[in-house]
Amino acid sequence: MSKPAPSGIERILFTEEQIRSRIGEVAAEISERYRGRHLKLIAVLKGSVFFLTALAREIDIPVKIDFLAISSFGSQKAGGGVVRISKDLDDMIQDEDVLLVEDIVDTGLTARYLLQTLAGRGPNSISICTLLDRTSRRIVQVPVEFRCFEIPDRFVVGFGLDYRQLYRNLDYIAVMNPEKAGS
Ligand code: PRP
């Protein structure tokens, strides 16, 4: 049974069927790119977990998974904030092919910080795969190797993305108006 739409939802951007179909296409691209190798998928908590599990199931080469979490201080969205790792990876990534899995790349500050930090640990390669790309809000340029969807400059929830930690479990991705969302 489908879940009732939360108040504040304005329109559905991508249905579950569209999301899963597109994830299948991107997983096929990833499988071809890394064919013959093992791939380590690294998800950035928390939003990326939903995308990571859906993506990993569609990739047809052997994958390992690991997780990290970051915290930001100050006005990161304005470009002046500081990001640090608050939960590090369990395992080393030296000589591994690493795919950083994000639910959304927005300003690019998180992705740039993680790319720079993880590149210093000696992986064989490191690339970014994101479910959503909101390029209109970029502050710093980052190479996004694999993307499922480009989205407009609107607030979105679902499939891992939250409003005040809620609505990550929606099967679809929707535009939300926070002013009409209640508390
Ligand atoms: C989101 C997303 C990225 C970051 C992208 O995480 O998962 O990590 O923001 O934004 P940026 O490109 O502007 O740096 P969020 O802080 O919402 O945490 P969450 O995954 O726990 O919801």
Side-chain angles (χ1 to χ4, degrees):
M1 221 163 73
S2 61
K3 304 175 189 88
S7 54
I9 293 289
E10 288 190 339
R11 68 190 162 99
I12 292 179
L13 271 185
F14 307 110
T15 64
E16 179 179 14
E17 190 182 8
Q18 288 171 320
I19 296 167
R20 297 211 179 268
S21 164
R22 181 67 187 130
I23 288 175
E25 291 174 359
V26 171
E29 276 179 50
I30 292 169
S31 303
E32 286 316 307
R33 184 77 60 87
Y34 295 94
R35 182 79 60 205
R37 293 183 268 171
H38 293 177
L39 181 60
K40 177 164 281 183
L41 303 176
I42 293 180
V44 186
L45 297 170
K46 308 179 180 96
S48 308
V49 169
F50 294 78
F51 179 41
L52 173 95
T53 56
L55 183 71
R57 290 173 62 174
E58 296 296 324
I59 291 175
D60 67 4
I61 60 169
V63 297
K64 300 177 188 175
I65 61 170
D66 206 345
F67 301 90
L68 57 74
I70 55 138
S71 304
S72 50
F73 305 91
S75 179
Q76 187 202 353
K77 303 296 181 196
V82 177
V83 181
R84 74 168 174 86
I85 292 177
S86 55
K87 181 235 171 285
D88 209 336
L89 300 172
D90 286 337
D91 300 311
M92 298 195 309
I93 56 170
Q94 189 160 6
D95 300 327
E96 295 199 282
D97 291 300
V98 171
L99 193 58
L100 198 55
V101 177
E102 271 287 21
D103 53 344
I104 186 165
V105 178
D106 211 355
T107 64
L109 289 165
T110 306
R112 182 181 66 171
Y113 167 77
L114 290 175
L115 271 186
Q116 287 175 347
T117 303
L118 297 180
R121 300 182 185 186
N124 183 53
S125 68
I126 181 161
S127 298
I128 297 175
C129 175
T130 189
L131 176 62
L132 304 179
D133 199 352
R134 195 155 47 190
T135 53
S136 56
R137 287 168 59 103
R138 272 306 190 285
I139 291 175
V140 294
Q141 293 308 311
V142 284
V144 175
E145 199 78 14
F146 305 97
R147 84 166 53 77
C148 292
F149 302 106
E150 167 88 38
I151 60 164
D153 188 7
R154 300 296 309 276
F155 188 83
V156 294
V157 294
F159 217 89
L161 291 114
D162 73 302
Y163 168 68
R164 296 185 173 178
Q165 300 300 328
L166 291 171
Y167 313 133
R168 296 188 195 275
N169 61 326
L170 295 176
D171 299 320
Y172 51 85
I173 294 168
V175 172
M176 170 173 262
N177 182 346
E179 288 174 10
K180 294 184 181 164
S183 53

